[in-house]
């Protein structure tokens, strides 16, 4: 539960950190010798370092909190919870009757919320999720009808603080990648004909 709370906290913390960073960089351009701005810049860098270290710590802790669950109820509940606050949005699920995987339920639920939020920020109105077994590995495919991933994001995927949204520090997607990898799985991103696609591969046992 603590890991789940901190993951959500770190994702939300990205917005104010990014706002401060943009302002500080602008002030440094205007007055690069300002001692006050340099002090703020140093303190902000410390905050960003703490956030980065917390993400690494989450990655290590999550390895010890895995259990084998059926992904179908989790995907359905994640959909329902998200749509409760987004009445003008749609999520379409194509799921088998049962799909077992070894995951942290709390962390996977948070990852799905981050990915849904990102779709909304990409001006998507619909998300399509398909889950099945691929080469004996449970796989979740998520694609939306938004603007897709910027080429910069695709090229730099896997690095923290990578964002083109003008807010956030690029930690949501980075934390999701670390979390999935800590479960022994993999997360990849790509663009399709309309929108972006995320592929999550997990372990069955």
């Amino acid at each position: 539960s603590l890991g789940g709370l901190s993951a959500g906290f770190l994702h939300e913390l990205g917005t104010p950190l990014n706002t401060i960073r943009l302002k500080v960089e602008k002030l440094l351009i205007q007055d690069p010798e300002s001692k006050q701005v340099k002090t703020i810049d140093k303190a902000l860098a410390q905050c960003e370092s703490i956030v980065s270290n917390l993400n690494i710590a989450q990655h290590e802790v999550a390895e010890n909190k895995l259990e084998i669950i059926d992904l179908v109820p989790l995907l359905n509940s994640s959909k329902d919870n998200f749509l409760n606050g987004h009445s003008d949005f749609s999520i379409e699920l194509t799921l088998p009757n049962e799909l077992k995987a070894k995951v942290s339920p709390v962390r996977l639920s948070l990852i799905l919320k981050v990915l849904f939020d990102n779709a909304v920020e990409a001006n998507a109105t619909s998300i399509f999720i398909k889950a099945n077994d691929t080469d004996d590995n449970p796989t979740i495919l998520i694609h939306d009808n938004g603007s897709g991933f910027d080429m910069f994001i695709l090229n730099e995927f896997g690095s923290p603080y990578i964002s083109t949204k003008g807010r956030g520090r690029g930690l949501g997607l980075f934390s999701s990648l670390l979390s999935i990898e800590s479960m022994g799985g993999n997360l990849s991103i790509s663009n399709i004909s309309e929108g972006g696609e995320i592929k999550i591969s997990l372990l069955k046992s």
Side-chain angles (χ1 to χ4, degrees):
S1 297
L2 215 53
L5 287 172
S6 62
F9 167 74
L10 290 175
H11 181 59
E12 294 301 323
L13 187 61
T15 300
L17 278 179
N18 182 59
T19 300
I20 298 170
R21 170 54 64 193
L22 291 174
K23 294 293 184 181
V24 168
E25 290 175 353
K26 185 176 180 179
L27 290 172
L28 282 173
I29 292 174
Q30 294 173 349
D31 187 2
E33 300 304 319
S34 171
K35 291 184 179 180
Q36 288 184 334
V37 178
K38 285 184 177 180
T39 299
I40 296 172
D41 180 54
K42 184 178 179 180
L44 177 58
Q46 290 177 330
C47 291
E48 292 170 337
S49 177
I50 291 170
V51 168
S52 179
N53 289 335
L54 282 173
N55 272 287
I56 294 172
Q58 283 185 344
H59 170 69
E60 295 173 349
V61 170
E63 293 179 339
N64 300 319
K65 296 186 177 181
L66 306 182
E67 56 184 288
I68 299 174
I69 67 164
D70 183 2
L71 295 178
V72 174
L74 185 146
L75 289 168
N76 277 308
S77 64
S78 294
K79 167 191 171 181
D80 293 340
N81 290 337
F82 189 77
L83 292 182
N84 280 338
H86 299 81
S87 57
D88 57 345
F89 204 79
S90 68
I91 299 178
E92 181 179 320
L93 301 178
T94 302
L95 307 175
N97 292 328
E98 182 181 79
L99 183 61
K100 295 291 186 70
K102 190 174 184 179
V103 300
S104 164
V106 171
R107 293 182 65 78
L108 184 56
S109 296
L110 283 167
I111 289 169
L112 291 171
K113 183 183 183 306
V114 169
L115 300 181
F116 294 168
D117 284 336
N118 285 351
V120 172
E121 291 170 353
N123 299 315
T125 57
S126 299
I127 291 177
F128 307 89
I129 301 175
K130 182 177 182 180
N132 52 37
D133 277 348
T134 303
D135 297 329
D136 205 34
N137 286 327
T139 300
I140 303 172
L141 282 176
I142 304 171
H143 75 264
D144 60 54
N145 63 349
S147 57
F149 294 102
D150 187 277
M151 284 305 300
F152 175 68
I153 299 296
L154 292 174
N155 292 334
E156 298 295 330
F157 180 61
S159 301
Y161 309 117
I162 301 299
S163 177
T164 60
K165 294 183 292 188
R167 69 182 189 83
R169 294 296 291 163
L171 289 174
L173 203 55
F174 179 66
S175 295
S176 298
L177 173 63
L178 284 183
S179 292
I180 293 298
E181 288 182 343
S182 75
M183 300 178 203
N186 183 54
L187 186 150
S188 60
I189 63 174
S190 61
N191 284 330
I192 54 177
S193 57
E194 183 182 2
E197 182 172 82
I198 296 172
K199 180 179 180 180
I200 299 174
S201 297
L202 299 166
L203 296 180
K204 182 171 287 186
S205 61

